[in-house]
Amino acid sequence: MTFKKGPAVGYLVTLVMGFALAFSASVLADRHNSENRGLPVDEMRMLAEVIDRIKTAYVEEVDDRELIENAIKGMLTGLDPHSDFLPPEAFADLQESTTGQFGGLGIEVTMEDGFVRVVSPIDDTPAFRAGIQAGDLITKLDDTPVQGLSLSEAVELMRGEPGSSITLTVVREGQANPFELTIERAVIRVTSVRSRMLEPGFASVRISSFQQNTAADVVREINRLREEANGELRGLVLDLRNNPGGLLSASVDVSDIFLSDKLVVYTESRIPNNSFRYQSRRQTLLPDLNLVVLINGGSASASEIVAGALQDHKRAVIMGTQSFGKGSVQTIMPLSQDSTALKLTTARYFTPSGTSIQGTGITPDILVDQGSFTAQEVRLSREADLQGALQNGQAAADDAVDNADDGRLRDQDYQMYEALNMLKGLAILKP
């Protein structure tokens, strides 16, 4: 087959080559290694020929802009599950999500084998209340199959007017058949930090996502807990379960609350001057408070940065199950046309000990699966049961321990119950 360079092909070659040159110049302008500067002219001609064939022979007429955007999406989605092309609507949605308010279902997702994989539902959102779980695969959005969509296209379909509904077809490990969940969309207002006293002297702070103000919110909640404990806060559970991540800077700031003058995370990139080391400050709020961090398979990205830093510096005991394993950094690169942008994976991040968690995740120091607990009391004879046993001789204590609250925590959240037990042990060993 002969390649005939007609006017349309010549125009498209110029267009595609111009786009590639502009992109190469903006991202790699300061690269000193020249061996990769040349563009594959034959392959660019092939791309232009494919576009020309589509324009002239496809069964329906296709807009030039749509073709070029599809070519860009294909380039990016073929790289990894997190790189993507962001049209104006998706770019605006991404900017909204980092400030803590946006419209939709309330789930963090990624692409896996052509399907949408749920990284984590966000607390107190429609998806959370409907029973969506970390690890679920979404195969259809209403009547639209997910396969063939980009991540941004799938996310766009899940968003919509508050009050409108969407039906998700879900495949879940352990269930033989797919099932459907109909969820009503809502305005998602993410409260990223919550706290509570578990029992006197011991508290938990839950972070559901890392946003601009997360570290300041954590400090506020810890100060409130210390007041509630009359200054006798003896231990804290930092709950990062089902936290899909968020802003890298926020994860560094949260780590800084517990680490003094320590390396938190570092990144390695192919772009010169784009590899960074993030350090905690010398003065920190809680350098010594007994700390347990809870993670699970829905803990990803920024959550893993915090858990990895605290684990490497032996600042906290990490409990729960293996984390998600997203150890890559995405950079948002605004483009010059129509408020569009690229979300491009530009670096890997490493824990302070030099461990990359990409694809493997953080391994807990103590593995605790979430499950139900069934108590079984075995009554053995004691000294007081023996005939003629001596009496104690002291008055019985008036402040007998009431284990009712402890039992409720155990039944409702077994991982948190075990984290509390660990804190009690740490408080005994290190008051």
Side-chain angles (χ1 to χ4, degrees), residues 134-213:
D136 284 347
L137 279 178
I138 300 173
T139 60
K140 287 178 67 176
L141 303 169
D142 284 332
D143 296 324
T144 303
V146 169
Q147 278 194 312
L149 299 178
S150 68
L151 181 60
S152 61
E153 289 171 332
V155 169
E156 189 64 27
L157 286 176
M158 286 187 278
R159 298 198 175 197
E161 288 294 321
S164 62
S165 296
I166 185 171
T167 298
L168 310 182
T169 302
V170 178
V171 175
R172 180 172 295 165
E173 185 176 356
Q175 296 197 19
N177 299 313
F179 59 93
E180 293 184 347
L181 286 175
T182 299
I183 306 176
E184 184 176 302
R185 299 180 179 93
V187 174
I188 308 301
R189 294 180 177 88
V190 180
T191 302
S192 71
V193 180
R194 291 184 173 87
S195 67
R196 60 173 172 149
M197 294 297 299
L198 299 173
E199 64 177 58
F202 301 97
S204 74
V205 170
R206 165 150 182 77
I207 303 176
S208 58
S209 63
F210 286 88
Q211 302 167 5
Q212 291 173 353
N213 299 319

Side-chain angles (χ1 to χ4, degrees), residues 31-241:
R31 291 192 64 177
H32 299 291
N33 185 354
S34 61
E35 64 180 5
N36 293 321
R37 285 187 177 180
L39 289 170
V41 176
D42 290 341
E43 284 75 10
M44 298 301 290
R45 288 179 180 273
M46 181 174 63
L47 174 61
E49 182 181 8
V50 169
I51 294 175
D52 183 59
R53 295 295 174 87
I54 293 171
K55 285 182 62 64
T56 57
Y58 185 63
V59 64
E60 295 179 354
E61 186 174 347
V62 185
D63 180 69
D64 287 344
R65 181 187 180 91
E66 181 181 354
L67 279 176
I68 298 299
E69 284 193 1
N70 286 339
I72 296 170
K73 291 175 184 176
M75 280 191 287
L76 291 163
T77 57
L79 296 174
D80 64 77
H82 306 293
S83 295
D84 203 359
F85 172 71
L86 303 177
E89 299 83 4
F91 188 24
D93 288 343
L94 180 66
Q95 292 172 309
E96 287 177 5
S97 67
T98 62
T99 62
Q101 179 173 319
F102 54 95
L105 304 178
I107 48 177
E108 179 78 12
V109 295
T110 186
M111 293 297 291
E112 183 175 305
D113 298 328
F115 297 110
V116 172
R117 169 78 73 178
V118 176
V119 175
S120 175
I122 300 172
D123 290 355
D124 297 329
T125 60
F128 180 88
R129 291 188 287 269
I132 288 289
Q133 298 180 9
D136 284 347
L137 279 178
I138 300 173
T139 60
K140 287 178 67 176
L141 303 169
D142 284 332
D143 296 324
T144 303
V146 169
Q147 278 194 312
L149 299 178
S150 68
L151 181 60
S152 61
E153 289 171 332
V155 169
E156 189 64 27
L157 286 176
M158 286 187 278
R159 298 198 175 197
E161 288 294 321
S164 62
S165 296
I166 185 171
T167 298
L168 310 182
T169 302
V170 178
V171 175
R172 180 172 295 165
E173 185 176 356
Q175 296 197 19
N177 299 313
F179 59 93
E180 293 184 347
L181 286 175
T182 299
I183 306 176
E184 184 176 302
R185 299 180 179 93
V187 174
I188 308 301
R189 294 180 177 88
V190 180
T191 302
S192 71
V193 180
R194 291 184 173 87
S195 67
R196 60 173 172 149
M197 294 297 299
L198 299 173
E199 64 177 58
F202 301 97
S204 74
V205 170
R206 165 150 182 77
I207 303 176
S208 58
S209 63
F210 286 88
Q211 302 167 5
Q212 291 173 353
N213 299 319
T214 295
D217 292 342
V218 171
V219 170
R220 185 191 66 239
E221 291 301 310
I222 289 175
N223 287 331
R224 185 187 66 78
L225 291 168
R226 294 166 84 178
E227 290 181 8
E228 187 174 343
N230 296 318
E232 296 295 327
L233 191 60
R234 303 173 63 198
L236 183 72
V237 178
L238 185 63
D239 187 357
L240 301 180
R241 292 173 297 175

Side-chain angles (χ1 to χ4, degrees), residues 212-349:
Q212 291 173 353
N213 299 319
T214 295
D217 292 342
V218 171
V219 170
R220 185 191 66 239
E221 291 301 310
I222 289 175
N223 287 331
R224 185 187 66 78
L225 291 168
R226 294 166 84 178
E227 290 181 8
E228 187 174 343
N230 296 318
E232 296 295 327
L233 191 60
R234 303 173 63 198
L236 183 72
V237 178
L238 185 63
D239 187 357
L240 301 180
R241 292 173 297 175
N242 294 324
N243 181 324
L247 297 178
L248 172 63
S249 58
S251 71
V252 174
D253 290 341
V254 168
S255 301
D256 186 57
I257 297 170
F258 306 102
L259 293 173
S260 179
D261 196 23
K262 302 287 186 182
L263 177 64
V264 174
V265 66
Y266 68 92
T267 65
E268 291 185 355
S269 173
R270 292 175 58 237
I271 304 175
N273 304 319
N274 200 43
S275 296
F276 299 101
R277 296 172 67 86
Y278 298 88
Q279 195 89 2
S280 65
R281 293 184 290 270
R282 292 183 182 274
Q283 299 297 324
T284 191
L285 178 66
L286 297 172
D288 301 313
L289 182 68
N290 294 321
L291 186 64
V292 169
V293 178
L294 277 178
I295 60 173
N296 65 3
S299 306
S301 189
S303 300
E304 295 171 299
I305 290 177
V306 175
L310 297 176
Q311 184 180 54
D312 281 3
H313 291 300
K314 302 187 185 305
R315 177 62 187 87
V317 177
I318 312 300
M319 298 180 67
T321 57
Q322 197 82 6
S323 64
F324 184 77
K326 182 183 179 293
S328 60
V329 180
Q330 282 68 50
T331 301
I332 305 302
M333 299 179 172
L335 301 177
S336 58
Q337 289 193 347
D338 300 333
S339 301
T340 57
L342 300 182
K343 185 173 73 168
L344 190 66
T345 300
T346 55
R348 287 184 174 90
Y349 65 73

